[in-house]
Amino acid sequence: MHIHGYFDLQFEAVKEAFAELFNDPQERGAALCVQIGGETVVDLWAGVADKDGAEPWHTDTILNLYSCTKAFTAVCALQLVGEGKLELDAPVTRLWPEFGAAGKQHITLRQLLSHRAGLPAIRQPLPPEALYDWDAMTAALAAEQPWWTPGEAHGYAPITYGWLIGELIRRATVRSPGEVIVERTARPLGLDFHIGLADSEFHRVAHISRGKGNHGDAAAQRVLNAMLREPQAMTTRAFTNPPSIMTSTNKPEWRRMQQPAANGHGNARSLAGFYAGLLDGRLLDSDLLTEMTREHSLGDDLTLLTRTRLGLGLMLEQPDMANATYGLGRHAFGHPGAGGSIGFADPERELAFGFVTNTLGPYVLMDPRVQRLARVVGECL
C-alpha cells in the first residue's frame, strides 16, 4: 500500500503503524493528521475512497465524521453562551416553550450537552423520511417524556443530540444550525468541514462501508444484543428511530441535511485543526474550555451500556478503561465517531489528533486502530 502525505522524521514509526493498518485486506481508506503546538507533524492518507475500489483516496477526500460532529456543535453552543445568547443553566423553555411538555420544563442546556436530560431516543415509531424533517423531529422531542429523571443519570444521545442542541442554536441565532456551527468553528480556522454538504462537493466524499467478521468488544456486544432482542428498549430506539438512521450514510439526502450530531463531513486535518483551535484559544476562552472539559457525567451509560465519562459535548479520558482511553495523556478530551473516525486533544502535549476511515469497525467507544496509532505517537514523543 502506497502511503501519501508528510511526516516529520521523528514520527516515522507513526507512518509505519499507519501503513500496517492496510495489512488487513478489509481496510479500504484512511487518513491521519497530528499537530503539536499548532505544527503539523503527521499528515498521511492512503487506500481507496469509492465503493468499487477504483478511486484512490486523495488529499482532499472527505467523509461522514458521524459523532465527531458533536464537539463542533458543543463549541458553537458554548460560544453563544459566552455571548449571552444561550445560558447553560437556564431552562430550555426560555427559548423553546413547547419543549416543556411531559415533565421537561426544568431541563437545561448543560444537561443536554452532558447527556443527562433523559432524551436519547423517541418512543413513538417514526417513518424513515422523518429523519430529514427538522420540524417533525424537534416536535417529537418537544413532546417526548424523559426516559429518566433529568439530571439523575446519563445516557448518550447518538442522534437526538443534534436536534436538541441544534434547535437551541437555531432559535438563538434565527439561522440554520449547520451554517452557524460551520461559520463559527471551521471557517475561522480554514477547516474543510461541512454540516449540510453542497452537491458540488459530493465527488470528494468517500463511500463508507462496514468491515465484516469482527464482532467488537464486550460493550459492542451488549449494544448489539439489546438491539437484536429488545426492539422497544431505549438503546434500540436511540439508534433505529427513525429507522433510516443507520442506513443513510451514503445517501445524497443525508449529505445535504444539517444534522449536527452525526452528519458533519470533513477529514483528518479538519479534526486535528479543530482541536488545535481549542488548545490555543481561538475557539473558546479558557473559562469556557475548562467548563467544557470538566467531568459532568461518569458511570454506567444507560444508552451505550458501558461506562462513559463526559464533559459538555465531549468524551473525556478514562485511562483505566480499555475501550475508553485515547491512549495518551490523562487529561485528553475529544469525541469518537461511529466506526473509527476520531478527533481529540492531549493538552499536556499540546497535541491535536485526527483520524478518519471509511471502513467502519464495530466498537462503541474507541476503535483499537486509533488507540494503536495514538500510542505510537506517544512513543515518538
Side-chain angles (χ1 to χ4, degrees):
M1 174 63 63
H2 185 66
I3 308 299
H4 303 271
Y6 161 81
F7 61 94
D8 184 290
L9 288 177
Q10 179 183 349
F11 297 90
E12 186 169 6
V14 178
K15 181 254 188 182
E16 296 303 322
F18 180 74
E20 287 171 7
L21 294 178
F22 294 91
N23 292 340
D24 182 345
Q26 290 197 61
E27 194 72 45
R28 299 174 64 248
L32 172 67
C33 182
V34 181
Q35 296 184 22
I36 298 176
E39 178 185 352
T40 299
V41 296
V42 176
D43 181 15
L44 303 171
W45 62 93
V48 297
D50 65 325
K51 184 178 182 179
D52 301 319
E55 179 69 24
W57 192 291
H58 296 290
T59 182
D60 67 343
T61 295
I62 58 176
L63 73 166
N64 190 178
L65 300 175
Y66 294 104
S67 287
C68 298
T69 310
K70 288 183 173 72
F72 290 78
T73 302
V75 165
C76 176
L78 288 169
Q79 289 174 345
L80 293 168
V81 168
E83 296 165 15
K85 297 172 182 175
L86 289 175
E87 296 179 70
L88 274 174
D89 297 306
V92 167
T93 52
R94 287 194 184 178
L95 272 181
W96 187 359
E98 309 94 307
F99 183 80
K104 301 196 300 301
Q105 61 271 26
H106 301 302
I107 288 175
T108 63
L109 172 60
R110 186 188 299 275
Q111 290 172 334
L112 293 177
L113 286 169
S114 57
H115 300 272
R116 301 185 68 81
L119 295 169
I122 295 169
R123 294 175 178 83
Q124 182 66 32
L126 297 167
E129 60 271 17
L131 180 65
Y132 306 106
D133 186 334
W134 185 273
D135 291 340
M137 295 307 304
T138 53
L141 284 164
E144 186 65 35
Q145 180 180 350
W147 291 77
W148 62 84
T149 302
E152 292 190 0
H154 73 280
Y156 182 68
I159 191 141
T160 58
Y161 174 103
W163 291 298
L164 293 165
I165 308 298
E167 181 64 8
L168 287 176
I169 291 171
R170 189 188 71 81
R171 290 179 181 241
T173 63
V174 200
R175 295 178 56 204
S176 299
E179 295 171 11
V180 176
I181 295 162
V182 169
E183 184 177 286
R184 285 172 164 268
T185 61
R187 200 160 297 152
L189 304 181
L191 305 179
D192 189 3
F193 175 80
H194 315 260
I195 302 177
L197 193 65
D199 286 25
S200 60
E201 305 288 349
F202 283 11
H203 69 283
R204 300 197 289 130
V205 180
H207 181 92
I208 291 178
S209 62
R210 298 183 182 278
K212 298 177 182 178
N214 181 354
H215 299 295
D217 56 18
Q221 285 293 296
R222 284 193 293 273
V223 171
L224 179 61
N225 287 337
M227 293 174 67
L228 291 175
R229 297 175 183 175
E230 305 171 47
Q232 309 302 322
M234 186 185 75
T235 294
T236 305
R237 293 283 194 204
F239 290 99
T240 63
N241 190 28
S244 45
I245 291 172
M246 297 183 71
T247 60
S248 296
T249 301
N250 296 303
K251 294 181 178 179
E253 54 267 39
W254 172 265
R255 296 174 182 173
R256 293 184 188 115
M257 76 183 292
Q258 298 182 29
Q259 215 304 335
N263 87 326
H265 284 72
N267 52 27
R269 286 187 211 106
S270 61
L271 291 174
F274 169 77
Y275 284 97
L278 279 177
L279 290 177
D280 67 17
R282 285 178 289 167
L283 291 178
L284 288 177
D285 67 36
S286 58
D287 288 344
L288 282 169
L289 181 61
T290 297
E291 196 63 20
M292 186 184 194
T293 57
R294 179 173 68 82
E295 180 184 298
H296 281 72
S297 301
L298 173 66
D300 292 337
D301 190 299
L302 300 182
T303 307
L304 298 180
L305 310 179
T306 187
R307 192 176 80 176
T308 53
R309 180 171 177 252
L310 308 172
L312 297 178
L314 294 173
M315 288 194 176
L316 306 181
E317 170 68 16
Q318 295 190 76
D320 56 338
M321 289 277 291
N323 72 328
T325 175
Y326 292 100
L328 284 168
R330 296 183 65 85
H331 301 289
F333 60 85
H335 213 296
S341 294
I342 196 168
F344 73 89
D346 177 4
E348 294 173 293
R349 294 176 172 84
E350 297 182 36
L351 181 146
F353 183 106
F355 173 79
V356 298
T357 174
N358 62 346
T359 311
L360 297 193
Y363 300 91
V364 169
L365 296 179
M366 310 303 176
D367 191 292
R369 291 172 291 183
V370 171
Q371 293 175 316
R372 282 196 298 272
L373 291 169
R375 281 195 294 269
V376 175
V377 169
E379 290 165 4
C380 290
L381 289 169

